[in-house]
Amino acid sequence: MNFMIKVILFDCDGPIIRREKYFSARLMDLGIELDAKKIHDFFGKEFLLCETGKADLKEELAGRISAWGWDKSLEELLDFWFSGEADADKRMLEYIQVLRQKGIACYLSTNNEKYRVRYLWSMVGLSEFLNGTLASFELGFLKPQVEFWQEAHKRIPKVRKAEVLVIDDTPSVIASAKAFGFNAQLHKDFNSTKYIIDTYLNTV
């Protein structure tokens, strides 16, 4: 038996936020010479702890920014970082508004630490379009860990797993969401994702 989709979990970077360059690449565009190994180690270790709520990004960055060649404040660094990764797809946000008018609950489902989520939610204004956030720093797990979906399911309105649709641009995340019991589809571009969602909503 098929169930009507009642909740959609949208990945952040890709479906909603478009990003041309990563933070480290943008720093190098400023003429800052970065130690590639140190940057790789930071994002592969300490930053992952921030993304799961086990460490604080500001505290982790405080002792590093001078070594990275950044000569301004920590707050200015975060603003440079987050503002450069805040290009929201207006078509998707407008479509999400339409979905919510139809009674579909829409959430931001993201691997992100707390300061960037707060920036996107408040400064970019995602709070005006989505019902809430399901962020890794809140849930304590990263996609594609199945525990992420377990925690997410507890926090959304009480619905069957078959009534939830996950939209994400990472194949491993799609696989884990399906293994948990959610519907899940790979995001490629706005038009294909809109077609996928419309198809689900027209199927009972």
Side-chain angles (χ1 to χ4, degrees):
M1 179 178 180
N2 294 322
F3 293 98
M4 180 69 160
I5 295 299
K6 295 180 179 178
V7 178
I8 303 178
L9 311 184
F10 288 90
D11 183 24
C12 177
D13 295 301
I16 293 179
I17 299 295
R18 297 170 294 197
R19 175 171 53 194
E20 291 186 7
K21 287 187 176 182
Y22 282 100
F23 164 64
S24 55
R26 292 171 48 239
L27 277 178
M28 289 188 283
D29 286 344
L30 296 178
I32 296 176
E33 295 185 9
L34 298 173
D35 184 316
K37 184 179 186 305
K38 288 182 179 179
I39 292 292
H40 181 268
D41 287 347
F42 171 74
F43 281 100
K45 296 176 183 177
E46 289 84 359
F47 187 68
L48 291 181
L49 294 177
C50 297
E51 286 193 311
T52 53
K54 298 178 178 66
D56 186 286
L57 181 61
K58 289 185 179 181
E59 294 176 5
E60 295 298 329
L61 287 175
R64 290 181 169 83
I65 58 175
S66 60
W68 286 3
W70 183 262
D71 58 3
K72 299 178 183 179
S73 71
L74 174 57
E75 292 300 329
E76 287 174 301
L77 177 66
L78 290 178
D79 184 67
F80 171 78
W81 182 345
F82 299 156
S83 64
E85 300 181 6
D87 180 21
D89 188 332
K90 293 181 180 179
R91 296 173 303 169
M92 187 64 80
L93 292 180
E94 290 171 357
Y95 179 54
I96 288 172
Q97 282 187 317
V98 172
L99 292 171
R100 291 187 65 192
Q101 289 168 1
K102 294 179 178 180
I104 309 298
C106 300
Y107 288 82
L108 190 71
S109 165
T110 178
N111 285 343
N112 258 307
E113 58 77 42
K114 63 183 179 183
Y115 296 112
R116 182 164 182 246
V117 172
R118 290 174 184 172
Y119 183 93
L120 293 172
W121 198 247
S122 300
M123 301 301 290
V124 178
L126 295 190
S127 61
E128 299 176 15
F129 299 90
L130 294 146
N131 291 81
T133 62
L134 297 167
S136 57
F137 85 87
E138 301 168 307
L139 276 57
F141 299 96
L142 291 167
K143 297 181 290 183
Q145 291 175 286
V146 69
E147 290 89 350
F148 182 97
W149 307 117
Q150 291 171 343
E151 291 300 316
H153 197 209
K154 295 175 185 177
R155 297 177 186 230
I156 60 179
K158 191 173 183 180
V159 294
R160 296 181 174 91
K161 292 180 183 180
E163 295 171 327
V164 178
L165 173 62
V166 173
I167 299 295
D168 204 289
D169 63 357
T170 303
S172 60
V173 171
I174 296 300
S176 70
K178 286 182 176 180
F180 178 67
F182 286 161
N183 298 285
Q185 293 291 331
L186 189 68
H187 170 81
K188 295 181 180 178
D189 54 56
F190 169 74
N191 288 329
S192 62
T193 292
K194 181 179 183 299
Y195 176 79
I196 287 168
I197 295 173
D198 287 345
T199 301
Y200 268 93
L201 297 183
N202 290 326
T203 303
V204 179

